[in-house]
Amino acid sequence: MDQKPKEIDKQKIEHAYREATTDYSTVSGIPVREVYNPDDIAGMDYHQDIAQPGEYPFTRGHHPLMYRGKLWNIREISGLSTPRKFNERLKFLVEQGAGALDWELDGPTMYGLEPDQPYAEGQLGVCGVTLHSLRDIETLCQGIPIDAVSLSVATFTPAIWQSYMITAKKRGYNSDNIRGVGGAIHYYGPACLPSYAEMLYRNGGYSTLGRWSNDFCEHVLKNCPKWNLWFSSSYDFREAGANAIQEIAFTLAIRNELLREMLRRGVDINVAAKKLSPVFAADRDFFEEIAKLRAARRVWARTLKEDFGVTDPLAMRLRFHIDVSGSNYTRQQPLVNIVRGSLGTLAAVLGGCMGVQTPSYDEAWATPTEEAVTLAIRTQQVIRYESGVTRVADPLGGSYY
């Protein structure tokens, strides 16, 4: 028996045809007009407020050539069970085109728990690698050229980093050769892990653990020229509900406290400021994210110059990494996450980032598979080599919007 063909709902198709935008504010709640023109920038002095890429206040970028001089780092966040398994994954990432590495830790490692402690039961190697000894670090680093790879680790204490340095020295590297991005995220840690607050700050001052972390920051600033201090993953603030304005405000507040502590320890302000490297988010509002990064560079430079007396232009540049928002990813229709990641990555690049982590499409529910993380790397490579956005420094410069 023939079935009657399904008819299309006329009202539904008319609605789809005539649908228009009804939300006239950014994700952060900033009202947006229907059009912008030269009158909107009439009060700006180009050389004072904007300037060329690589010139103070660095609105248009941290370097005159931007990606014509060096492309951003492809740094995929990854963490996988045991050191040996994770070592295999890191090598796979490099083979696929990643130029920088990131170690994600499991809960017990993050909290400093030993594997045989009751609280660690069932958590070892979950959502990250488990590292509890120098041997674990040595296993994880096998076959990896430490002097060539920039490494980032989300650890709130120096233990992992110090083990990494010992491993490097045992393999013949000295402090001048080691590349790292990290060591100062104890400043923002308590905001993400409230139970860490009393571990780092007690009776209005730094705890023993907090002083140890600051000792490490002082050491790398004075002895490791290729090291940058990752001091805030402001991406986490954004994922927890902060808007774009709050994200930058929190970053500046954390930066200021770190700088004050390093100044108390006798570190030159130009040396300390030059080595700071925060992580920002690239959320779903494409143009707001780009504008946020441009504004952040300008505020960063001016506050360093006016509030801290920084005199070296190179120390006034804001150099940052971007984590594309993973909270926008869904388990339902997961392949759509590829499009979400592509838009976030493009916003990060047009905003002038130095590195990008594009979430794998399956991160909404699992540790990424090799297929998914490869596709995340390919997303960045398509933007690098096929989109044309890298040919010009700050291609969005001059937009009235």
Side-chain angles (χ1 to χ4, degrees):
M1 184 176 179
D2 294 337
Q3 292 184 344
K4 185 178 180 179
K6 184 177 179 180
E7 294 184 1
I8 296 176
D9 187 319
K10 182 179 179 180
Q11 288 185 333
K12 185 175 181 180
I13 197 169
E14 285 182 348
H15 173 74
Y17 181 77
R18 298 183 180 280
E19 186 177 9
T21 297
T22 57
D23 184 357
Y24 305 131
S25 297
T26 68
V27 168
S28 297
I30 301 172
V32 177
R33 299 199 308 275
E34 66 273 12
V35 69
Y36 289 79
N37 56 52
D39 293 338
D40 294 297
I41 61 171
M44 287 188 177
D45 182 299
Y46 177 79
H47 295 287
Q48 181 176 345
D49 299 322
I50 307 297
Q52 293 287 88
E55 294 181 0
Y56 179 86
F58 305 102
T59 306
R60 301 192 64 189
H62 65 275
H63 193 276
L65 297 179
M66 290 306 291
Y67 303 128
R68 293 179 68 145
K70 181 186 181 302
L71 292 169
W72 66 91
N73 288 328
I74 298 176
R75 186 193 296 271
E76 287 301 308
I77 288 178
S78 185
L80 191 67
S81 61
T82 67
R84 192 169 302 282
K85 285 287 186 181
F86 192 24
N87 176 265
E88 295 172 0
R89 174 59 65 90
L90 293 176
K91 292 174 180 176
F92 174 81
L93 293 175
V94 173
E95 289 173 355
Q96 301 309 310
L101 300 177
D102 182 282
W103 294 357
E104 284 298 305
L105 310 177
D106 66 1
T109 306
M110 183 74 75
Y111 277 94
L113 299 176
E114 293 298 327
D116 57 355
Q117 287 184 255
Y119 283 128
E121 184 177 354
Q123 299 300 316
L124 295 175
V126 176
C127 296
V129 64
T130 184
L131 300 172
H132 297 280
S133 68
L134 178 60
R135 181 174 295 179
D136 287 340
I137 304 296
E138 291 174 340
T139 300
L140 188 48
C141 292
Q142 286 179 356
I144 295 175
I146 292 176
D147 60 335
V149 172
S150 173
L151 174 67
S152 174
V153 184
T155 174
F156 292 101
T157 68
I160 300 295
W161 281 124
Q162 290 176 334
S163 298
Y164 181 69
M165 288 181 167
I166 292 171
T167 300
K169 290 181 179 179
K170 289 177 69 174
R171 288 176 52 182
Y173 300 103
N174 58 42
S175 298
D176 293 340
N177 302 129
I178 304 174
R179 295 181 181 273
V181 184
I185 60 173
H186 59 287
Y187 279 92
Y188 99 98
C192 300
L193 303 173
S195 56
Y196 251 100
E198 290 190 357
M199 295 178 65
L200 295 170
Y201 308 99
R202 300 183 73 86
N203 301 321
Y206 292 109
S207 66
T208 300
L209 189 57
R211 291 195 301 273
W212 177 26
S213 298
N214 283 327
D215 289 344
F216 181 79
C217 293
E218 179 184 353
H219 171 78
V220 297
L221 286 173
K222 293 179 177 179
N223 299 283
C224 303
K226 294 184 179 180
W227 201 283
N228 292 306
L229 286 179
W230 170 25
F231 67 93
S232 176
S233 183
S234 302
Y235 163 89
D236 293 332
F237 296 136
R238 195 64 181 279
E239 297 289 83
N243 62 33
I245 300 167
Q246 293 165 336
E247 178 188 357
I248 300 305
F250 292 150
T251 303
L252 293 173
I254 297 168
R255 178 205 69 179
N256 293 349
E257 188 56 38
L258 171 59
L259 287 177
R260 292 186 189 107
E261 176 62 23
M262 292 302 107
L263 286 173
R264 284 193 287 267
R265 290 165 170 260
V267 179
D268 181 86
I269 186 62
N270 288 295
V271 173
K274 191 183 298 184
K275 293 297 182 179
L276 300 185
S277 181
V279 174
F280 292 129
D283 207 79
R284 64 183 182 275
D285 195 320
F286 186 76
F287 288 114
E288 180 177 65
E289 293 306 293
I290 298 169
K292 173 193 75 178
L293 298 174
R294 296 168 68 87
R297 274 194 295 270
R298 184 161 61 183
V299 175
W300 179 278
R302 286 184 171 173
T303 52
L304 284 177
K305 182 178 182 180
E306 297 171 6
D307 298 345
F308 287 92
V310 173
T311 56
D312 184 352
L314 297 180
M316 300 177 198
R317 301 179 303 172
L318 172 57
R319 301 173 305 137
F320 56 86
H321 173 84
I322 288 290
D323 283 353
V324 176
S325 176
S327 65
N328 294 321
Y329 279 32
T330 64
R331 185 166 185 167
Q332 298 78 15
Q333 301 183 47
L335 295 182
V336 179
N337 293 334
I338 298 171
V339 183
R340 296 185 177 105
S342 300
L343 285 173
T345 303
L346 182 58
V349 171
L350 292 173
C353 69
M354 293 188 66
V356 183
Q357 180 266 328
T358 303
S360 302
Y361 71 82
D362 56 359
E363 280 190 27
W365 72 91
T367 298
T369 62
E370 288 189 354
E371 177 194 32
V373 76
T374 298
L375 194 52
I377 292 174
R378 296 291 177 265
T379 298
Q380 295 203 40
Q381 290 169 330
V382 167
I383 294 174
R384 269 186 169 195
Y385 307 122
E386 298 181 25
S387 70
V389 299
T390 62
R391 297 189 184 114
V392 178
D394 187 33
L396 293 186
S399 169
Y400 303 130
Y401 179 39

